[in-house]
Amino acid sequence: MFEMPAIASPEWRSALGAVAEPAAMADLRAFLSDEVAAGLTVFPAAPDLFRALDLTPPSAVRVVILGQDPYHGAGQAHGLSFSVRPGVRLPPSLRNVYTELRDDLGVVPATHGYLEAWARQGVLLLNTVLTVVEGQAGAHRRRGWEAFTDAVIAAVDRGPPAVFMLWGKPAQAKAALVDEERHLVIRSAHPSGLSAYRGFFGSRPFSQANAFLTARGRGEIDWALPPVGDAAAGVSVRGGGV
C-alpha cells in the first residue's frame, strides 16, 4: 500500500482547500497503492511526496520552477523537482540547469545536486506530476496529479507577484492558470539532454527572475548553492532519469 502523507504546511492546506482533503485524494491514493501491490517501485518515497510544499509555503513563493515528472532512477527523486540528495550523481537535466545558470549569471556550478537552499528562499520546486514508476518516465501522467498541481499553481497565482519558469510542454500548459499581467511567465524547452538545445540554453531564466523580483520589491534569489557535506565526491547512486 502507498501511504500518502498529509500536507504538513497549514498554509498550503488552507490555500488548496478541498483539493488536498483525503476524499479528493482517494482515487489517486488507490491508484498508487495498486501500483505498489503490482510490484512496481514508485518514486519518490511517500514521506517525500509533498516536500516542495512543506519547504515553501504559498506566502513565501517567489519563483516556481515547474518540470514534468520526478526522476525515475533509484535514489534520485526526493520531492523537489530537479534536485537530488547529496551523494547522488547529477542527472543530465540538472547539469544543463547549472550550465544555463553559469552562462546567465556567472554562477559556478555546484558539485552537488541538492536544491533545498533554493526552496528555502521561496523557489517552489514542483513537477506537473508528483510520482513516477522506476525506469518509466511519464508513467503517472493523466492519473490525477495534474488537477492537484493545477490547484497549486492557481494558489500561487492568487498571491504576490512571482516568476513561473515553465520547462517543457506539460509545464507550459499551466500558463493558462497564471495572470501574466501580475506575474512573469518564462516558457522554455525542458533542460533534458534531448531538448535543452531546442530553447532551454540561452533562455536566461535566472537573471529575468531576479530583475522581475527586484522591480517588485521582493528581492533577488541567491542562486549560488552552498556546499553540502562531501557531496562533491558523491557518485554512489547512478540511476536513470533526466
Side-chain angles (χ1 to χ4, degrees):
M1 183 176 179
F2 190 89
E3 297 289 345
M4 185 177 291
I7 296 171
S9 165
E11 270 195 59
W12 274 116
R13 292 199 303 271
S14 176
L16 295 174
V19 172
E21 293 294 329
M25 305 289 281
D27 288 347
L28 191 49
R29 184 185 301 106
F31 165 71
L32 294 172
S33 293
D34 287 346
E35 294 282 85
V36 172
L40 300 175
T41 301
V42 173
F43 297 135
D48 293 327
L49 192 57
F50 299 120
R51 183 67 173 157
L53 303 185
D54 295 340
L55 286 175
T56 314
S59 62
V61 176
R62 293 191 283 164
V63 176
V64 178
I65 294 181
L66 188 63
Q68 297 178 171
D69 55 359
Y71 295 128
H72 56 82
Q76 292 182 313
H78 67 107
L80 304 179
S81 65
F82 297 100
S83 179
V84 291
R85 286 193 173 95
V88 179
R89 183 173 181 163
L90 298 185
S93 59
L94 184 54
R95 289 185 181 276
N96 289 337
V97 169
Y98 285 175
T99 295
E100 179 61 18
L101 179 58
R102 180 198 63 203
D103 294 347
D104 187 5
L105 290 177
V107 173
V108 175
T111 54
H112 63 85
Y114 193 51
L115 305 183
E116 185 171 308
W118 289 359
R120 293 190 181 277
Q121 293 183 72
V123 180
L124 181 61
L125 297 166
L126 189 68
N127 283 306
T128 59
V129 172
L130 300 191
T131 56
V132 72
V133 169
E134 183 174 14
Q136 299 181 37
H140 288 173
R141 293 178 189 170
R142 295 180 291 277
R143 293 291 187 171
W145 279 123
E146 289 85 354
F148 180 85
T149 54
D150 279 357
V152 173
I153 295 298
V156 177
D157 177 69
R158 295 191 296 269
V163 179
F164 292 80
M165 300 182 186
L166 309 181
W167 294 348
K169 289 183 178 179
Q172 290 172 31
K174 302 286 193 187
L177 302 169
V178 180
D179 179 355
E180 295 193 47
E181 293 187 1
R182 297 183 57 246
H183 306 285
L184 175 62
V185 175
I186 304 172
R187 302 167 176 83
S188 73
H190 191 275
S192 73
L194 298 174
S195 58
Y197 287 94
R198 298 202 294 264
F200 178 75
F201 289 140
S203 61
R204 302 183 68 85
F206 307 102
S207 59
Q208 288 189 66
N210 277 354
F212 178 89
L213 293 170
T214 298
R216 283 151 185 81
R218 301 208 68 199
E220 293 187 347
I221 302 295
D222 181 1
W223 296 103
L225 291 162
V228 179
D230 296 325
V235 294
S236 58
V237 180
R238 293 184 176 269
V242 298

